[in-house]
Amino acid sequence: MTTIEHQTKPLPELPYRGIESFRYIDQRVFCAREDETWELLSQILINRGALLYGDSGCGKSSLINAGLIPAALEENLWAHRLRIQPRRGQEIKVERIPTERDGRPPYLPSDLVDPASPNDTAVSFEISVEEFYKQLTSKKGRAPNEPHPLLIVDQFEEFITLFEEASRGADASAAKEALRTQHDILSVFTSILQDDSLPVKLLFVFREEYLAKLNILFKAAPELLDQYVRLLPPRVEEAEHIILAPFVDAELKARFSGAYGRHVTELEDVLG
C-alpha cells in the first residue's frame, strides 16, 4: 500500500492558504483551532458516531484536514474522507489524503483500498455501498491496539441535495431508484452505528442549514443529536496568532522568512 508513517509531519509550501481550505500537509501552519480539534476528537473517541456542522465557510474542511486527521492518527484512527452520490454501484466516493504538496501518492493508510489495485495510486475512487460495508465488516475482530477506521462523511448535506436533484424531473422509475439508493446508504450507516462489534467511527460533516433536513438520519440514530460540535468562525482576537503562527516554529520560519520575513517583522512592530 502506498502510505506514509503518520509520525512524519509534512512541510507546507506556503504559510497561508488565503480563501482555500487547509490540507493535511498544512497542519504545521494551522492554528487557533486547538480547542475545537480536541472537542471533536473527544466526541469521536467517546461515541461511535458524531456530527460536525456550521455555516458555509466557517472552516469545517480545514478543521478536518489539518486538525482532526493528524490528531486522529495519534489515537490510532485511520481517517477516510468520503462523499456520497446517487449512482447505483458507485454510491461511495473515497477521497485519498495526500501527504505531499503535489497531491499525488503517497497517501495516508486506508482500509478501503486493495494495495494491489490501481485505486491505491488514484487520488479518488468509487465503490458500491455493498462493497463498502463488506470491507468494513471484514475488520471485525481487529485487536484494540490495531488501527481502526474513522469514516469522515464530508459535505453530508449531499445526502439531501443530490438525491433531491436525482428525483426532480426524473421519470417515476428513476425517482424510485434514487430513493432506494438513498435508503441503502442510510441503512449501511445505521448498521455501522448500531453494530458494536465493528471497530469503526463515523463523523458526518455538513452545513448547519441542513440540520433539520437530515432528520431522516436522526430518526434512525437519535443519539447523534447529542454528539456534535457546532463550529463557529475564528474569533477576531485570534487574528494576530493566526498571522504570526507560521513564523514561531524555527523550521517554518527558516523556510518562509525569505519571502515573508520582512512583512512579518513589520506586522510584529505594528502589533507591538
Side-chain angles (χ1 to χ4, degrees):
M1 181 180 294
T2 309
T3 61
I4 191 170
E5 293 296 327
H6 65 254
Q7 291 85 356
T8 303
K9 291 188 176 181
L11 195 64
E13 71 272 41
L14 295 170
Y16 307 117
R17 289 290 292 162
I19 63 171
E20 300 295 329
S21 298
F22 283 80
R23 305 158 296 176
Y24 172 78
I25 66 166
D26 299 311
Q27 59 186 272
R28 292 178 64 180
V29 295
F30 182 67
C31 64
R33 288 297 200 184
E34 293 81 6
D35 291 346
E36 293 88 344
T37 298
W38 172 242
E39 185 181 0
L40 185 56
L41 181 63
S42 298
Q43 288 287 352
I44 291 166
L45 293 175
I46 293 169
N47 305 299
R48 175 168 293 273
L51 310 175
L52 171 64
Y53 58 83
D55 290 340
S56 179
C58 72
K60 297 185 295 297
S61 294
S62 294
L63 178 65
I64 291 294
N65 296 334
L68 176 66
I69 291 176
L73 284 169
E74 295 297 325
E75 298 294 335
N76 220 15
L77 292 172
W78 282 3
H80 301 72
R81 194 168 51 216
L82 312 176
R83 300 278 290 275
I84 59 172
Q85 49 194 17
R87 300 178 186 170
R88 201 67 185 170
Q90 299 175 311
E91 296 92 343
I92 305 295
K93 182 179 181 181
V94 182
E95 298 179 341
R96 303 302 300 276
I97 303 169
T99 61
E100 298 291 342
R101 294 190 296 271
D102 60 8
R104 294 183 292 184
Y107 301 117
L108 290 181
S110 173
D111 286 297
L112 299 175
V113 61
D114 181 348
S117 111
N119 288 341
D120 191 41
T121 58
V123 69
S124 67
F125 61 93
E126 298 164 335
I127 57 175
S128 70
V129 70
E130 291 84 4
E131 179 61 25
F132 171 70
Y133 190 59
K134 179 182 176 182
Q135 291 195 38
L136 292 177
T137 54
S138 71
K139 314 305 174 189
K140 288 186 177 183
R142 182 171 281 186
N145 63 339
E146 292 184 274
H148 287 29
L150 166 60
L151 309 176
I152 302 169
V153 192
D154 200 11
Q155 298 188 40
F156 190 60
E157 65 268 14
E158 292 175 337
F159 185 67
I160 302 299
T161 59
L162 293 184
F163 288 87
E164 285 179 345
E165 265 181 41
S167 300
R168 191 181 300 120
D171 59 44
S173 61
K176 186 176 180 180
E177 180 71 4
L179 286 173
R180 187 163 71 93
T181 300
Q182 185 186 47
H183 175 271
D184 290 348
I185 294 171
L186 177 63
S187 178
V188 163
F189 285 144
T190 302
S191 297
I192 293 170
L193 290 168
Q194 295 175 348
D195 188 347
D196 292 335
S197 67
L198 274 177
V200 176
K201 300 285 189 175
L202 260 173
L203 175 66
F204 299 96
V205 185
F206 54 91
R207 301 204 308 267
E208 185 171 5
E209 63 197 88
Y210 284 90
L211 183 61
K213 286 192 172 185
L214 287 169
N215 196 46
I216 183 175
L217 171 65
F218 305 137
K219 282 183 177 179
E223 70 279 2
L224 288 174
L225 287 170
D226 296 320
Q227 298 162 190
Y228 70 91
V229 170
R230 178 176 180 254
L231 192 64
L232 298 173
R235 299 184 301 274
V236 173
E237 53 267 30
E238 296 283 2
E240 178 180 347
H241 179 39
I242 292 170
I243 293 169
L244 298 178
F247 298 89
V248 174
D249 179 281
E251 186 179 8
L252 291 174
K253 187 173 184 178
R255 179 179 182 84
F256 300 134
S257 59
Y260 298 90
R262 179 174 62 83
H263 302 293
V264 172
T265 301
E266 292 171 354
L267 276 171
E268 288 175 327
D269 292 340
V270 170
L271 295 170

